[in-house]
Amino acid sequence: MTASPLLATALVGVGGALGAVSRHAVGIRVEGRRSVLVVNALGSFALGAVSAAPIGSTAALLLGVGFCGAFTTFSSFAVGTVRAASETGVRAAATVAVSNLAAALAAFLLGSLLVAESVG
């Protein structure tokens, strides 16, 4: 079943609100640049799991687009990388960037593999 445009918008909005609040909660618990790495890895893991799960399009909108989209934070990743370049140098910033991307990709793959394995 495909969600109507109004329902799709509402699902993304509700998921996004929950994701944003969850992102803030992680930021309170994990301070500094590590919080960006943590939320991006956790959000990528969750998105991998959602992508591999046999769920409908409405759940995918709520969880994948809404929650995971708002929970992860590419803009904070970009700001942190630029800030690291100006504070500690380009080499340190490149390490931050590569670490963040590698963790997110590995977490997505792990999440999708775990769900695919348990479903299949």
Side-chain angles (χ1 to χ4, degrees):
M1 174 179 114
T2 303
S4 71
L6 182 59
L7 177 59
T9 301
L11 289 167
V12 171
V14 169
L18 294 171
V21 170
S22 298
R23 162 68 181 101
H24 181 68
V26 171
I28 290 170
R29 292 275 205 187
V30 181
E31 295 182 18
R33 290 187 186 135
R34 290 182 321 165
S35 71
V36 174
L37 177 66
V38 169
V39 297
N40 285 341
L42 288 173
S44 294
F45 178 87
L47 187 57
V50 167
S51 297
I55 60 175
S57 62
T58 55
L61 286 169
L62 176 73
L63 299 172
V65 178
F67 183 86
C68 292
F71 183 71
T72 58
T73 175
F74 189 80
S75 57
S76 293
F77 162 66
V79 168
T81 302
V82 170
R83 194 172 286 155
S86 67
E87 292 173 1
T88 58
V90 174
R91 186 172 281 163
T95 301
V96 168
V98 169
S99 299
N100 209 306
L101 291 171
L105 290 171
F108 180 90
L109 183 60
L110 180 61
S112 62
L113 289 173
L114 287 174
V115 169
E117 186 73 24
S118 68
V119 172

